[in-house]
């Protein structure tokens, strides 16, 4: 396992622990599971192993919708009451809304982990009807310079803020997650 894979595994572990802590603090009964829907991402964050050479051609090795549904069914049948859908960037899956509809039909609660940059008005309207428990978004910086240097892609700060406006307008439940990399560059109080 490379250093980059170890960092990504640690980040996923922290995010999973945060999700479990939130569940327990809300007295939710049932388990939680994470399903990585894709390894693809529209950002190029240096701390993420998805930017490794192994991620090349990731779409070709993604689980099909049928496979995701079969896994979700098995988890739901085993008593998992909340599923965290993560990636890469989940909105790079063309069938994300179909997956969310299916999970809703099974009465599975969902946490959607997205970087927020691909959230459109139409997608926010759909999410308002899909009623995720919350949408978890990493905060990569408080300024365009920090955000863009952290993600190594020009322009995502503006896209992120546009996505936040769509979420706010639809009153979508948002849980920001501060990036450790961005935290390093933030001024101390």
């Amino acid at each position: 396992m490379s250093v980059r894979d170890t960092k990504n595994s640690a980040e996923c572990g922290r995010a999973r622990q945060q999700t479990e802590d939130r569940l327990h603090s809300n007295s939710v009964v049932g388990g939680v599971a994470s399903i990585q829907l894709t390894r693809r991402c529209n950002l190029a964050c240096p701390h993420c192993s998805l930017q490794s050479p192994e991620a090349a051609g990731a779409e070709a090795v993604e689980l099909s919708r049928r496979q995701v549904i079969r896994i979700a069914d098995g988890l739901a049948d085993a008593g998992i009451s909340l599923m965290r859908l993560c990636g890469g960037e989940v909105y790079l899956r063309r069938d994300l809304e179909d997956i969310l509809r299916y999970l809703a039909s099974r009465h599975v609660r969902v946490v959607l982990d997205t970087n927020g940059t691909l959230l459109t008005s139409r997608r926010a309207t759909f999410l308002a009807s899909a009623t995720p428990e919350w949408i978890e978004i990493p905060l990569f910086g408080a300024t365009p310079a920090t955000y863009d240097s952290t993600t190594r892609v020009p322009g995502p700060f503006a896209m992120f803020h546009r996505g936040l406006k769509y979420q706010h307008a639809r009153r979508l439940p948002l849980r920001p997650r501060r990036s450790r990399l961005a935290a390093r560059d933030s001024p101390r109080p």
Side-chain angles (χ1 to χ4, degrees):
M1 181 179 281
S2 71
V3 170
R4 186 175 266 174
D5 289 338
T6 303
K7 286 180 182 176
N8 192 49
S9 294
E11 186 71 24
C12 286
R14 279 190 296 277
R16 185 172 33 257
Q17 185 62 50
Q18 288 172 349
T19 301
E20 290 174 5
D21 291 346
R22 287 178 183 143
L23 285 174
H24 295 301
S25 68
N26 293 327
S27 301
V28 176
V29 177
V32 60
S34 293
I35 300 175
Q36 185 176 17
L37 295 180
T38 184
R39 291 179 49 100
R40 294 177 292 139
C41 188
N42 59 316
L43 304 179
C45 305
H47 60 277
C48 183
S49 69
L50 298 178
Q51 300 308 317
S52 67
E54 297 82 34
E59 187 172 16
V61 296
E62 283 179 354
L63 295 172
S64 68
R65 180 179 2 175
R66 173 180 245 126
Q67 290 169 315
V68 170
I69 287 171
R70 188 173 38 216
I71 290 167
D73 281 340
L75 292 168
D77 292 345
I80 299 297
S81 62
L82 186 128
M83 293 183 200
R84 181 176 174 269
L85 303 181
C86 58
E89 172 49 47
V90 294
Y91 268 109
L92 290 174
R93 288 276 309 225
R94 283 175 249 165
D95 58 357
L96 177 64
E97 291 180 5
D98 295 329
I99 292 167
L100 290 170
R101 278 188 205 94
Y102 181 77
L103 292 173
S105 77
R106 288 288 317 254
H107 306 286
V108 171
R109 297 174 7 259
V110 172
V111 171
L112 191 64
D113 191 340
T114 173
N115 64 37
T117 61
L118 300 178
L119 191 63
T120 63
S121 177
R122 190 196 67 70
R123 287 174 172 165
T125 299
F126 171 80
L127 286 175
S129 68
T131 61
E133 284 293 304
W134 66 83
I135 301 164
E136 196 162 285
I137 297 183
L139 302 177
F140 292 122
T143 67
T146 301
Y147 199 97
D148 294 1
S149 71
T150 301
T151 60
R152 295 192 305 189
V153 174
F157 184 77
M159 296 165 64
F160 171 77
H161 275 274
R162 186 175 48 244
L164 284 179
K165 288 179 185 177
Y166 293 138
Q167 288 184 45
H168 180 73
R170 293 349 175 260
R171 298 184 181 271
L172 296 172
L174 174 67
R175 301 264 176 111
R177 183 179 72 241
R178 189 173 179 192
S179 164
R180 290 188 185 278
L181 209 58
R184 182 192 68 202
D185 296 332
S186 299
R188 302 260 182 230

